[in-house]
Amino acid sequence: MLINTDKVRSYDVGLILTTLVAVSLFLLVAFHLSPSAVTEERFSQLAYLVEDGNGSKEGPSLDFSTILDVSDSRWTPTTSPVNLGMSENVHWFRLTVSPTQHTQGRFLLQLDYPLLDELDMAVYSHLGTLPTSRYTAGDTIEFDRRPIHYPTPLIPLPVSQFSQHVYIRIKTSGTIRLPLRVWEEREFVEYSSSRNLALGLFFGFLCAMGLSNVFLFLTTKRPAFLFYSGYVFSLGLTLASLQGIGYAYLWHDFIWFQGIAVVVFANATIFFAAIFTRTILQVKEHSVWLDNAIKALALFFGLSALASFLVPYSLVIKVYLVALCLTVLFTISLGVWMSVKGVIIARYFTIAWASLLVSGLAASLDNVNLIDIPLSSNNLLIIGGAVETLMLAFILAISYSHSRDDLIEAQQFALDKEIQANNAKEDLLAVQQRYQDDLEYKVQERTLELEITLRELSEVNEELERLTGVDPLTGINNRRHFDKRLKSEGRRSRREQTPLSLIIIDVDHFKTVNDKFGHAGGDACLMHVSSLFKQLLHRPTDDLCRIGGEEFAIILPNTNSEGACHVAELLRQSTEQQPVDFEGQQIALTISAGVATAVIESEEHALALFRDADEKLYAAKDAGRNRVSH
């Protein structure tokens, strides 16, 4: 294919700018989603101790009954994230956690590395000699036995107003990595929500690319599309294994597979990448020797993926890392060589694949502690994969531009030759039709990708819509959700002619509580009342909402006045009988409630029902509070 030199230069400029922008954006997202960027450390005195095959380097095997007796001189201080390379010895870690007493939720200890075989942890009070709690995690036990079902080990810390000592025992056939972070539960929820959104978009994009190329293979029968789909799916499963997502959601019932999933899918990724490279660059047309070398690489990684089921993980991963280094050098050298020989597509192909291969190599070397990079190796792989996908999209755009130029030239050539011979005219028209069909096919392909992307964005918007309806303090629904639900249930009542009841509740003398105990005490009271109400509402259709500062509303579909009054009276009695424990003091609370019931007759009737319940609430307050008016 002949390509205009000026256009090639403009493509080069566009490719460089796209690469720089993509890398910058993904690095910005990765650093923003790093735990160190969103919360400070809440532990200190991190140190480790290594046991040899028969015990520690200076004594017999240790357990949680003897680890406290180990002298400080045998512990080696370190900092998080810990990376001690590959070792099959037992490693002990200890750290001191800051006080974990807080009014807004519990504290969580996260070990942000899912590929640990055995992980046992014990928490000791600052003066205790027996553990206050014990936990077990790791990918050699059932996922359901984890204290919190999360892709990486996540341990709830006991509430304590004093510092606590944590001892961790680790034994694994892979890398000894220990990125530690102590979170407040609210911080962790916010962080994990942002991170899960980014990961969801990334994995969703990989799935879209893989499926679209499967469809292209089925329609075109070109093996390059199938090989690329195999590569995309293998890459996605490799990253899912490294993130712990695969064990959490895909194969959590297969413990034996979790131990080898990374090497199986990593070898499969390079296998498909090799045969895809051979196909897309048509290496055999330029060098039979290089073509045989690529086939040998593909065969090696394919057999290595199968051998992962039989050979120990520690051996397979070492062989894989050595082979990966050689493959990176070979692939980049092949792309450069073919670019020099004038294969234009090889230039862009080399830049696209180099981003992923280099990031994969750097992440692998970081995993075995040969290099130290400031970014998480898992995040580095995601950046490399995302940049590579964008670069391949750019290559597709170039291919489309070339096809369009060829189409225009073919049409012009057909017009020039039309007056010379009818046979030549028919041949040129056939060429024109073929290119037109190809153009329409590419438009349909882009339309399919756009529809998939819009569907994913719609799902994300629905999730964001749900989150905006939750009150951040109490965790129950907010006023925005209440307004929508009241209108919805009003329409149902009108349609089915069933009674709709509404309870409006106000915490009595709440300003006095705030003045006496501060806003922290007031928040504790609101959370206590919300939790109490949720426990007492048993029907899934009953909806509890916080609609103001200390004001709550409960929507009771298909409930008559007597039933609504019974619920309101139950809430009032329970609130009066269960005071709030706050900082060693008990805060006595009472509530006033207004109840209204009606069969809704119009859109405005639902709002009138709300005003009626609100008036009943004020009647209860005027009558002395701590009562229900209906």
Side-chain angles (χ1 to χ4, degrees), residues 312-324:
Y313 172 86
S314 57
L315 176 61
V316 176
I317 191 62
K318 292 175 182 177
V319 173
Y320 170 79
L321 293 176
V322 173
L324 178 63

Side-chain angles (χ1 to χ4, degrees), residues 449-462:
E449 295 176 356
L450 179 59
E451 290 175 351
I452 295 174
T453 302
L454 290 176
R455 185 168 62 251
E456 294 173 350
L457 290 175
S458 177
E459 295 173 354
V460 172
N461 286 333
E462 291 176 0

Side-chain angles (χ1 to χ4, degrees), residues 115-129:
L115 304 181
L116 297 172
D117 295 343
E118 300 176 16
L119 188 151
D120 297 292
M121 190 184 88
V123 181
Y124 298 81
S125 65
H126 71 298
L127 296 177
T129 59

Side-chain angles (χ1 to χ4, degrees), residues 64 68 95 97 100 109 120-126 128-135 155-160 162-168:
F64 287 110
L68 296 180
L95 61 147
V97 178
T100 56
L109 175 61
D120 297 292
M121 190 184 88
V123 181
Y124 298 81
S125 65
H126 71 298
T129 59
L130 294 176
T132 58
S133 57
R134 286 279 303 273
Y135 302 100
I155 311 298
L157 292 173
V159 176
S160 175
F162 303 103
S163 61
Q164 302 176 87
H165 303 295
V166 178
Y167 286 82
I168 304 173

Side-chain angles (χ1 to χ4, degrees), residues 278-586:
R278 175 176 176 267
T279 303
I280 198 68
L281 294 182
Q282 299 179 351
V283 178
K284 189 175 183 180
E285 296 182 3
H286 301 277
S287 172
V288 176
W289 181 86
L290 288 176
D291 183 66
N292 291 331
I294 294 180
K295 289 192 291 185
L297 280 175
L299 179 62
F300 171 81
F301 283 104
L303 293 176
S304 181
L306 298 176
S308 303
F309 292 91
L310 303 174
V311 181
Y313 172 86
S314 57
L315 176 61
V316 176
I317 191 62
K318 292 175 182 177
V319 173
Y320 170 79
L321 293 176
V322 173
L324 178 63
C325 294
L326 298 176
T327 303
V328 169
L329 295 176
F330 174 79
T331 304
I332 295 179
S333 300
L334 173 65
V336 172
W337 178 75
M338 295 190 69
S339 298
V340 173
K341 288 183 65 69
V343 181
I344 299 300
I345 198 67
R347 178 190 307 173
Y348 310 114
F349 180 87
T350 302
I351 297 175
W353 284 99
S355 62
L356 180 62
L357 292 175
V358 171
S359 63
L361 177 61
S364 300
L365 296 178
D366 177 61
N367 274 329
V368 296
N369 207 25
L370 294 179
I371 62 174
D372 185 18
I373 55 179
L375 192 63
S376 166
S377 58
N378 292 346
N379 289 340
L380 183 64
L381 283 172
I382 289 177
I383 292 173
V387 172
E388 178 263 354
T389 303
L390 289 177
M391 294 303 98
L392 289 181
F394 189 86
I395 293 173
L396 289 175
I398 294 176
S399 176
Y400 170 78
S401 178
H402 294 170
S403 299
R404 183 190 59 187
D405 293 343
D406 289 346
L407 175 61
I408 294 175
E409 293 175 2
Q411 290 174 337
Q412 185 62 45
F413 181 75
L415 292 175
D416 293 339
K417 293 296 182 178
E418 185 177 8
I419 60 177
Q420 298 179 12
N422 291 331
N423 292 336
K425 178 181 178 180
E426 293 175 356
D427 293 340
L428 291 174
L429 289 175
V431 171
Q432 178 183 358
Q433 184 61 45
R434 185 174 71 252
Y435 276 101
Q436 185 65 36
D437 293 341
D438 184 61
L439 178 61
E440 293 176 357
Y441 177 79
K442 289 182 180 296
V443 171
Q444 293 174 359
E445 176 188 352
R446 301 305 187 276
T447 303
L448 176 61
E449 295 176 356
L450 179 59
E451 290 175 351
I452 295 174
T453 302
L454 290 176
R455 185 168 62 251
E456 294 173 350
L457 290 175
S458 177
E459 295 173 354
V460 172
N461 286 333
E462 291 176 0
E463 178 65 14
L464 291 176
E465 180 69 17
R466 186 189 67 80
L467 292 177
T468 56
V470 176
D471 177 56
L473 174 63
T474 60
I476 63 176
N477 296 320
N478 61 13
R479 178 59 183 267
R480 179 179 181 182
H481 174 88
F482 169 78
D483 292 337
K484 291 183 178 179
R485 183 67 188 278
L486 179 61
K487 181 181 294 186
S488 174
E489 291 299 336
R491 291 172 178 172
R492 178 180 296 179
S493 172
R494 179 184 179 186
R495 181 174 61 254
E496 299 176 358
Q497 288 298 295
T498 55
L500 174 64
S501 293
L502 182 62
I503 305 175
I504 306 297
I505 300 172
D506 187 81
V507 179
D508 297 331
H509 305 293
F510 187 76
K511 184 177 185 302
T512 303
V513 174
N514 267 337
D515 293 340
K516 183 176 181 180
F517 297 95
H519 288 288
D523 290 347
C525 292
L526 293 176
M527 289 188 288
H528 169 78
V529 170
S530 301
S531 177
L532 183 61
F533 289 177
K534 286 193 291 185
Q535 294 175 11
L536 296 174
L537 295 175
H538 303 297
R539 296 195 311 177
T541 56
D542 297 344
D543 202 345
L544 171 63
C545 306
R546 181 186 176 195
I547 59 174
E550 67 275 16
E551 194 170 10
F552 299 84
I554 302 176
I555 301 175
L556 302 173
N558 197 15
T559 303
N560 58 26
S561 177
E562 181 181 357
C565 290
H566 173 74
V567 172
E569 185 62 25
L570 178 62
L571 298 179
R572 185 197 66 78
Q573 293 176 3
S574 299
T575 304
E576 183 179 20
Q577 295 168 2
Q578 300 184 38
V580 181
D581 290 326
F582 176 71
E583 296 182 351
Q585 303 180 65
Q586 287 196 338

